[in-house]
Amino acid sequence: MEYRVTLLGSEQNAPTDSEKSFTVGPDQSLLEAALFQDIALPYGCQSGGCGACRAKLVAGQIHYSYDPPALSEEEKAQGYILLCQAQPRSDLSLQVEERLSSQAIPVRNMPVRVEHKQPLCHDVMQLMLKLPKGEVFEFLPGQYVDFLLRDGRRRSFSIANGPATKGVIELHIRHVPNGDFSDFVFSSMQDRVILRVEGPLGGFYLRPQSDHPILMMAGGTGLAPIKSMLEYMLDQGMHRETHLFWGVRGQRDLYLHETLLEWSQSLPWFDYTPVLSEPASGQPDASSWQGETGYVHEVVARRFPNMQDYDVYMSGPPVMVQAGRDQFLAQGLPVEQLFYDSFDYAFQTWPQQEAPDKHKPGG
Ligand code: FES
């Protein structure tokens, strides 16, 4: 038995001029069936944890084999579902942002050469990957790539450069204690080594068609996809009011801080607020910090008590993303204006976290 799923377009743009439908079996996830039939829907982790595949159920019944963590009670009450986990129990109508055909970027599997690696701070390495000569790698600002390791495992990292930088992929890799891939990157990886990547992946990317001002919130290496978005905005001459809040533990974790300060001084539409959760971390004199302290989502919430008119982009540790989601929705942020990506390995910059067991971007 098969059910039919009809896509009605996104809430902001519905109905699409390319209304589509696809079929799905009762034991199949909606995402799996859509991708199998070449319908380009947004997704990320495919395990119910990141929220990138969120869609609104307009009509019909679905079933989950477990309660997926990436949806808040408020989102569920408003009819949102996760395409990677939902299985059909009837024909369905969904409001979902199918990537427009111009954005339906093919996922590539290709070799890359490590052009160089450079420490950005005490535990973050910048990797510059060179594509094979003549290769064009298209992606949306905010997406990520997977390294395909020899033993079949994958390691995911957000792309940190803007799409206009041709022929190169920039990544920010945090050193994870006992993380074999990041150990390799920090110790034995040589320049010019050849690795294999797959991408672009993920449904976390900048929506340039909106005219709302933007709030960006990053935790640790969650800065990488945000930097990609900012570089895209600079390249495109997009001057939408944008406020970036970046949460790290201590001053020594603020890599690329000078660049962000420079942008905030030279771009009238952009401001930047670093937030330290532990100002004394790695610092003999914590009083040298005069800026914001505490949890970054609380600083954002205090500075923007009414979020109704903003688009919010969050990337970083799951606990930051979840706390931000709950707080911002409670402060009037419409669900459809909230975009986020959870970095399971970025927890190193976030206090009181247990190590997660999967490897979304950052690990
Ligand atoms: Fe579905 Fe991440 S929650 S792709």
Side-chain angles (χ1 to χ4, degrees), residues 146-157 179-182 184-185 189 195-198 359 363:
D146 273 358
F147 280 114
L148 307 178
L149 307 185
R150 286 215 176 96
D151 58 7
R153 288 178 302 157
R154 290 167 172 257
R155 287 292 177 265
S156 308
F157 295 94
D180 48 2
F181 184 75
S182 72
F184 165 63
V185 170
M189 177 187 269
L195 300 167
R196 186 160 278 277
V197 298
E198 186 175 283
H359 62 265

Side-chain angles (χ1 to χ4, degrees), residues 22-40:
F22 60 95
T23 54
V24 54
D27 298 325
Q28 229 180 351
S29 78
L30 305 184
L31 179 67
E32 182 189 349
L35 294 180
F36 197 67
Q37 291 163 68
D38 287 332
I39 308 276

Side-chain angles (χ1 to χ4, degrees), residues 31 42-54 70 82-85:
L31 179 67
Y43 67 95
C45 67
Q46 299 190 55
S47 59
C50 75
C53 64
R54 190 182 59 189
L82 294 179
L83 299 172
C84 71
Q85 300 302 311

Side-chain angles (χ1 to χ4, degrees), residues 111-167:
V112 290
R113 195 180 69 210
V114 176
E115 192 69 357
H116 77 265
K117 63 177 194 180
Q118 174 185 334
L120 293 173
C121 70
H122 66 108
D123 67 349
V124 177
M125 189 73 80
Q126 180 190 51
L127 277 195
M128 302 301 268
L129 306 176
K130 187 109 173 114
L131 307 183
K133 204 165 182 205
E135 288 281 352
V136 178
F137 179 66
E138 286 184 88
F139 62 93
L140 301 173
Q143 290 191 292
Y144 66 93
V145 292
D146 273 358
F147 280 114
L148 307 178
L149 307 185
R150 286 215 176 96
D151 58 7
R153 288 178 302 157
R154 290 167 172 257
R155 287 292 177 265
S156 308
F157 295 94
S158 287
I159 303 167
N161 56 298
T165 321
K166 299 291 179 206

